[in-house]
Amino acid sequence: MLNQPILSNHDLRDEIKAYWSLRAETFDSQPGHEIFSEDERSAWHSLLRKHLGDGTGRAALDLACGTAVVSHLLDDLSFKVTGIDWSEAMLERARAKAKKRGRQIRFLMGDAERTMEDDNSYDVITNRHLVWTLVDPVACFREWHRVLKPSGRLLIIDGDFVNPTLVSRLAKKLSALLVKVGFGGSGQQNGPHTPALAQTHQSILSRVHFSQGARAEAVVELLKQAGFDKITVDTRLGAIHRSQRKNFSFLKGLERATQHRYAICAEKQG
């Protein structure tokens, strides 16, 4: 019995779940997560309409919904929305927000990679900043393909947060320098707010499938493997970034605007 390895059923997915549960407390206070202006809300509505159209009562599944920011945007557009998240802490805030706003949004505790939803049950599936965290994206995309109705659409909103552009690197270094000399700190942060959370974030990022960055072209190839068709990549998110900029420092806004961020719309063949 000596020197045998200690076995554990606590895996990377458990770490991801625990991490986002800890982030729930401050999630809605951070620009880039919650919406802080009507200009930003309008920009998000435009993006969703562009790829999904108006809801007209169609069924939408918002995966890894968090505190339901995107769920509310879909509800604004008259989709019949179900939000799924595996963090009870996030769902508590999502339910409270929907109750306060008088929204009829259905929330379920569940796993975005194994939804347990019926075949061909949703017209639309959305997720924001989920794909970069996936351990097995092809299996996950096949699950989403199964749940979508024929001719249903998937909208992924994500980005490569690993490989910053030259402008982004310079902005980050200058921002850190200004903080060090006492001239930084204006604008709000939208990432991990403690060194421990930042370390956990980096540890998780180093072990997920897209540890080298979730490039749009790589996501598209995996969507094709999962059976999706009519795939388009939209990198024209400037209206959203401009509306968010007032809530960031100048350098943080510049860094965000130059990152590789995108919306990918894919269809299940009818």
Side-chain angles (χ1 to χ4, degrees), residues 54-258:
D54 282 309
T56 62
R58 290 181 294 148
L61 179 62
D62 185 25
L63 292 169
C65 67
T67 62
V69 176
V70 174
S71 298
H72 280 261
L73 292 169
L74 292 167
D75 186 73
D76 292 342
L77 300 180
S78 300
F79 284 94
K80 184 179 179 182
V81 185
T82 296
I84 288 182
D85 203 281
W86 62 0
S87 166
E88 183 58 39
M90 287 287 191
L91 287 176
E92 286 177 2
R93 288 161 175 79
R95 293 186 181 110
K97 187 191 299 184
K99 183 178 180 180
K100 182 177 180 181
R101 296 179 180 176
R103 302 299 186 94
Q104 299 299 312
I105 300 173
R106 172 179 173 245
F107 293 108
L108 300 174
M109 169 78 78
D111 184 349
E113 298 187 46
R114 305 184 191 101
T115 67
M116 305 299 288
E117 294 294 273
D118 293 337
D119 293 355
N120 307 316
S121 52
Y122 288 93
D123 299 285
V124 162
I125 293 177
T126 60
N127 57 79
R128 182 179 69 159
H129 303 166
L130 166 64
V131 165
W132 74 266
T133 72
L134 297 177
V135 177
D136 186 351
V138 173
C140 189
F141 295 164
R142 286 177 178 147
E143 167 70 357
W144 301 351
H145 189 275
R146 178 189 69 79
V147 170
L148 271 176
K149 295 177 182 179
S151 300
R153 292 186 179 183
L154 165 68
L155 183 63
I156 292 170
I157 301 161
D158 224 289
D160 175 4
F161 310 125
V162 177
N163 300 294
T165 64
L166 175 61
V167 172
S168 182
R169 290 197 299 272
L170 291 173
K172 195 168 187 177
K173 287 182 179 180
L174 183 54
S175 180
L177 178 62
L178 290 173
V179 169
K180 187 175 181 179
V181 299
F183 288 100
S186 62
Q188 296 189 46
Q189 183 177 338
N190 75 316
H193 63 285
T194 68
L197 280 174
Q199 185 176 8
T200 300
H201 179 274
Q202 285 303 119
S203 174
I204 290 171
L205 181 57
S206 71
R207 289 175 288 152
V208 295
H209 179 88
F210 291 112
S211 61
Q212 301 305 307
R215 304 296 295 181
E217 56 271 21
V219 176
V220 167
E221 286 307 309
L222 297 183
L223 287 168
K224 289 178 181 177
Q225 290 181 35
F228 281 96
D229 195 16
K230 297 181 182 177
I231 303 171
T232 60
V233 178
D234 185 358
T235 57
R236 300 181 66 179
L237 308 183
I240 293 171
H241 296 151
R242 286 190 296 273
S243 63
Q244 292 173 337
R245 196 174 296 162
K246 67 185 72 173
N247 296 301
F248 291 123
S249 67
F250 171 76
L251 292 173
K252 181 64 180 177
L254 182 61
E255 177 191 355
R256 188 175 186 85
T258 56

Side-chain angles (χ1 to χ4, degrees), residues 15-81:
E15 291 183 45
I16 295 170
K17 179 178 179 179
Y19 170 78
W20 286 109
S21 292
L22 289 171
R23 291 287 302 275
E25 183 178 355
T26 59
F27 193 85
D28 278 345
S29 67
Q30 297 175 340
H33 294 159
E34 182 55 283
I35 293 171
F36 287 86
S37 71
E38 289 308 308
D39 284 346
E40 182 181 356
R41 192 178 312 280
S42 177
W44 279 109
H45 285 158
S46 294
L47 180 70
L48 294 174
R49 279 197 182 98
K50 177 180 180 180
H51 295 289
L52 305 176
D54 282 309
T56 62
R58 290 181 294 148
L61 179 62
D62 185 25
L63 292 169
C65 67
T67 62
V69 176
V70 174
S71 298
H72 280 261
L73 292 169
L74 292 167
D75 186 73
D76 292 342
L77 300 180
S78 300
F79 284 94
K80 184 179 179 182
V81 185

